[in-house]
Amino acid sequence: MPLRGGEGRGPRGLIHPTATPVPGIPQGCREPAYPEDPALLHHVELWVPDLPRAAREWGWLLGSLGWSPHQDWEHGRSWRLGPTYLVVERSPAMSAAGHDRMRPGLNHLAFHAGPPGRVDALAAEAPGHGWTPLFADRYPYAGGPGHHAAYLVNTDGFEVELVAAEGA
């Protein structure tokens, strides 16, 4: 069963039989047995043109999804959920001024966001935190019939998809 931040874990991260499931995560999902699980994403690093703005926008979104602040340094910030973390960084090595999700490379990141009501609440709050709805005319089924999700883009052009738990 999926677990929240290490609750119910025994030695080396093994799931404890009395662990509490995380609400809103489909039962087919699993928590990795070890942080080094090869099926799990380790981290994502996004280079941004304006670190304070990115930290506000991503900080609100990730915090709303249960991620915790992880690292803070001159050119970057990160948030962590379990063994996975996401970085926003204003790198001095950037070769362009901004991100374009329509060019080759990263188009969007999709996050499990809990039950449909939670997705709706986040979609409603998002514009107050630098995120603009995409495909609003087809919300909440822009991804197809039965796929309840909110598509958002932030000031720097990064798109996220907030996916509702199936059957919730």
Side-chain angles (χ1 to χ4, degrees):
M1 293 183 152
L3 306 177
R4 189 185 314 273
E7 294 172 9
R9 288 177 180 267
R12 299 226 356 120
L14 293 172
I15 296 173
H16 190 275
T18 61
T20 306
V22 176
I25 295 182
Q27 291 302 306
C29 294
R30 67 176 177 83
E31 187 76 3
Y34 301 99
E36 305 84 21
D37 189 328
L40 191 65
L41 186 65
H42 187 271
H43 73 276
V44 173
E45 186 169 322
L46 304 174
W47 284 10
V48 298
D50 183 317
L51 179 60
R53 179 178 65 216
R56 282 190 308 275
E57 292 175 1
W58 285 100
W60 168 78
L61 178 66
L62 295 171
S64 295
L65 294 172
W67 295 60
S68 300
H70 178 53
Q71 298 168 317
D72 185 349
W73 66 100
E74 180 183 1
H75 296 289
R77 307 285 179 277
S78 69
W79 294 264
R80 178 178 219 99
L81 182 62
T84 303
Y85 63 96
L86 186 140
V87 175
V88 294
E89 182 178 358
R90 171 65 174 108
S91 173
M94 283 193 326
S95 64
H99 171 71
D100 183 348
R101 66 184 182 81
M102 302 300 282
R103 296 186 60 147
L106 178 73
N107 176 264
H108 72 279
L109 296 173
F111 294 93
H112 291 282
R118 181 68 183 135
V119 171
D120 296 342
L122 289 168
E125 295 170 26
H129 299 279
W131 295 89
T132 303
L134 292 172
F135 324 117
D137 60 322
R138 294 182 281 156
Y139 182 79
Y141 300 111
H147 181 72
H148 191 115
Y151 294 83
L152 307 169
V153 64
N154 76 352
T155 306
D156 294 323
F158 288 98
E159 179 185 343
V160 296
E161 178 182 354
L162 304 179
V163 181
E166 293 181 26

